[in-house]
């Protein structure tokens, strides 16, 4: 891998010659993906993605409204929308990056690459789907093809490989609007890039570790609040269920299984209309695969292989606070806070980043685990809990991901 500094690019960036930096980085990446292991290139990638994120978020009125609620400034708030968005939805020093005026991101057609979305645990069982509004809006606006892998909501990573192979090789799964792709109308993708949310990230890593032949068709992997290193919450949950009989009886979930799923998320929907593929439920393996020890074993065995695939990995993580999460998630936040105050209520920063040279941490956004991906939950199922409006600008974030990938020459 190419590993050297780029002082000339650093100087161009200090001089505000961002166009030249962007062009030079694109040329470097096109010549050798290994440059993405360089510290300066990593840092530039983070700054550019965050800049794009703020740019596209400026058209999100819901996000701006949420960002404008400053009890200290009150009605005297004279900040620009861009400053409000940065200070509300980014963490750390990045909150000051609204001051940087980089060139605008220009979305381009994506004719050869399909966005394959890898959903999280209990996929389809919460009252809304991840990016429920954002994906259809993006697909309609830019014409980018989005395919949701029909990953089983509650089974292990290796078992879910079949669902991802169906998406990548056959074009099967769900459309952006969540309708199922008819097998007679399925169009196999050419190349793909993945966005892996929560358990979707270890699902994708497991897929690539077991099917490295997919690497030439995989342009990039973005982990989004990804449980790459597992979760301390899963550790405790697994200890409580590992010796319990779970599963289905007579084609229905057992009472014990239903109770345990409700413990995972009280707002989960276990009515008949939401339950499918019941014979494939494997709660214990699904939770085991999210434990810190199991993910550590996986990475110990496969990290070097993943790094050598020639696939760029990018991580976007979340951070929140105890008073910003749903009431029934406060305990999870506090448990994680024993290890990292900057957790998203389900995973810490270390757990949601892939620690290999070909992986780059693009941003720590200010949002909790569900806020990063889900639309607001219906009032009727909130169990009197606050913090389920989910104002994080999701459409802006996904658009920034695609435009960022296009600028690097990864997506076309």
């Amino acid at each position: 891998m190419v590993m050297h500094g780029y002082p000339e690019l650093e100087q161009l960036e200090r001089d505000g010659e961002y166009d030249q930096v962007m062009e030079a980085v694109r040329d470097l990446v096109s010549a050798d993906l290994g440059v993405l292991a360089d510290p300066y290139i990593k840092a530039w990638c983070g700054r550019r993605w965050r800049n794009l994120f703020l740019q596209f978020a400026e058209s999100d009125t819901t996000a701006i409204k949420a960002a404008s609620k400053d009890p200290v400034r009150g009605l005297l708030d004279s900040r620009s929308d861009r400053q409000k968005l940065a200070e509300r939805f980014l963490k750390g020093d990045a909150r000051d990056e609204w001051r940087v005026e980089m060139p605008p991101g220009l979305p381009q057609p994506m004719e050869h690459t399909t966005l394959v979305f890898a959903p999280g645990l209990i996929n389809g069982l919460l009252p809304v789907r991840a990016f429920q509004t954002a994906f259809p809006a993006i697909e309609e606006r830019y014409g980018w093809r989005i395919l949701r892998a029909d990953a089983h909501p509650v089974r292990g990573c290796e078992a879910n490989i079949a669902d991802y192979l169906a998406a990548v090789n056959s074009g099967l799964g769900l459309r952006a609007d969540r309708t199922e792709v008819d097998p007679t109308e399925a169009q196999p993708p050419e190349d793909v890039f993945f966005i892996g949310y929560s358990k979707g990230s270890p699902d994708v890593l497991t897929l690539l570790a077991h099917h490295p032949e997919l690497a030439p068709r995989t342009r990039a992997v973005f982990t989004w609040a990804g449980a790459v290193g597992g979760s301390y919450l899963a550790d405790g949950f697994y200890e409580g269920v590992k010796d319990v009989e779970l599963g289905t009886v007579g084609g229905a979930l057992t009472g014990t299984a239903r109770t345990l799923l409700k413990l995972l998320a009280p707002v989960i929907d276990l009515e008949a209309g939401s339950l499918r593929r019941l014979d494939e439920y494997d709660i214990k393996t699904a939770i085991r695969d999210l434990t810190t020890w199991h993910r550590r074993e996986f990475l110990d065995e496969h990290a070097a292989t993943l790094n050598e695939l020639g696939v760029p990995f990018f991580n976007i993580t979340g951070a929140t606070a105890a008073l910003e999460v749903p009431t029934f998630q406060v305990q999870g936040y506090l448990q994680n806070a024993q290890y990292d105050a900057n957790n998203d209520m389900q995973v810490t920063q270390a757990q949601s980043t892939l620690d290999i040279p070909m992986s780059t941490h693009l941003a720590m956004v200010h949002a909790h685990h569900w806020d990063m991906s889900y639309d607001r939950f219906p009032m009727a199922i909130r169990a009197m809990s606050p913090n389920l409006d989910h104002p994080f600008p999701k459409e802006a974030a996904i658009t920034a991901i695609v435009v960022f990938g296009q600028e690097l020459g990864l997506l076309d």
Side-chain angles (χ1 to χ4, degrees):
M1 287 200 175
V2 176
M3 285 292 291
H4 49 69
Y6 293 94
E8 70 283 5
L9 295 186
E10 294 182 47
Q11 185 59 54
L12 285 172
E13 186 177 358
R14 284 193 293 270
D15 293 340
E17 301 292 344
Y18 301 115
D19 279 317
Q20 293 185 51
V21 177
M22 291 164 57
E23 183 178 354
V25 171
R26 180 188 177 99
D27 289 344
L28 288 167
V29 169
S30 297
D32 181 3
L33 286 170
V35 300
L36 291 168
D38 180 84
Y40 171 74
I41 301 297
K42 288 179 182 292
W44 162 259
C45 285
R47 288 188 289 273
R48 181 53 179 163
W49 183 84
R50 296 188 296 269
N51 194 272
L52 289 167
F53 167 67
L54 292 177
Q55 172 195 324
F56 293 115
E58 286 186 274
S59 62
D60 189 322
T61 55
T62 299
I64 291 171
K65 182 178 179 181
S68 300
K69 295 177 180 178
D70 189 318
V72 177
R73 292 181 173 90
L75 296 176
L76 300 177
D77 191 349
S78 61
R79 296 175 300 164
S80 67
D81 288 346
R82 189 180 184 85
Q83 181 179 357
K84 292 174 183 176
L85 289 164
E87 293 179 349
R88 172 61 180 84
F89 293 113
L90 293 175
K91 293 284 283 184
D93 293 341
R95 296 173 78 245
D96 289 329
E97 291 182 351
W98 59 272
R99 305 174 188 275
V100 180
E101 293 290 341
M102 291 187 187
L106 302 175
Q108 303 295 322
M110 194 161 57
E111 299 177 357
H112 305 292
T113 313
T114 297
L115 189 171
V116 176
F117 178 64
L121 188 69
I122 58 177
N123 164 48
L125 298 181
L126 287 171
V128 293
R129 291 266 189 169
F131 303 105
Q132 182 165 308
T133 300
F135 277 167
I138 289 169
E139 193 173 62
E140 181 178 359
R141 180 173 294 111
Y142 303 116
W144 300 331
R145 185 186 178 194
I146 298 174
L147 180 64
R148 298 172 180 266
D150 189 16
H152 192 278
V154 193
R155 67 175 181 176
C157 294
E158 290 193 17
N160 272 355
I161 286 177
D163 296 328
Y164 291 99
L165 289 176
V168 172
N169 291 333
S170 302
L172 296 174
L174 306 178
R175 298 182 182 88
D177 64 3
R178 297 167 291 133
T179 57
E180 187 172 358
V181 176
D182 188 309
T184 63
E185 300 175 352
Q187 298 179 349
E190 293 182 50
D191 290 348
V192 300
F193 78 100
F194 293 97
I195 297 179
Y197 169 54
S198 194
K199 180 178 175 286
S201 291
D203 276 357
V204 171
L205 297 183
T206 303
L207 169 71
L208 293 175
H210 286 79
H211 290 274
E213 73 278 5
L214 295 176
R217 294 174 52 211
T218 303
R219 300 289 190 89
V221 174
F222 292 82
T223 69
W224 183 258
V228 175
S231 170
Y232 296 119
L233 308 186
D235 291 354
F237 200 88
Y238 183 72
E239 284 300 311
V241 304
K242 65 180 182 180
D243 298 321
V244 178
E245 286 297 324
L246 301 172
T248 59
V249 174
L253 286 175
T254 64
T256 303
R258 295 173 72 91
T259 299
L260 290 171
L261 288 172
K262 280 288 188 180
L263 287 175
L264 280 174
V267 294
I268 203 170
D269 181 7
L270 295 178
E271 298 307 313
S274 65
L275 296 177
R276 46 195 289 270
R277 299 170 64 180
L278 281 165
D279 58 330
E280 300 172 53
Y281 267 68
D282 187 352
I283 298 175
K284 277 193 273 193
T285 302
I287 300 300
R288 183 209 65 185
D289 283 5
L290 288 173
T291 59
T292 57
W293 57 266
H294 187 81
R295 298 265 45 91
R296 184 165 53 248
E297 289 178 355
F298 172 85
L299 290 171
D300 285 346
E301 181 177 356
H302 297 292
T305 299
L306 292 170
N307 192 63
E308 293 166 2
L309 290 177
V311 174
F313 296 87
F314 302 99
N315 315 130
I316 299 168
T317 62
T320 186
L323 296 180
E324 298 172 345
V325 305
T327 303
F328 47 85
Q329 296 284 355
V330 171
Q331 183 178 356
Y333 170 82
L334 293 175
Q335 183 177 339
N336 280 323
Q338 298 177 57
Y339 305 92
D340 183 2
N342 282 321
N343 71 82
D344 70 6
M345 85 184 184
Q346 294 194 7
V347 289
T348 65
Q349 294 300 303
Q351 290 168 345
S352 49
T353 52
L354 178 61
D355 187 17
I356 59 175
M358 283 295 289
S359 179
T360 298
H361 186 195
L362 295 180
M364 175 170 58
V365 301
H366 185 183
H368 66 65
H369 197 78
W370 288 351
D371 185 13
M372 287 178 67
S373 296
Y374 293 110
D375 290 1
R376 62 186 303 167
F377 283 5
M379 292 296 295
I381 56 86
R382 293 193 185 194
M384 304 298 290
S385 176
N387 302 317
L388 289 168
D389 286 333
H390 305 157
F392 182 81
K394 290 165 272 290
E395 185 177 336
I398 298 299
T399 304
I401 283 175
V402 177
V403 173
F404 168 79
Q406 291 178 332
E407 289 185 353
L408 288 182
L410 299 173
L411 311 180
D412 62 13

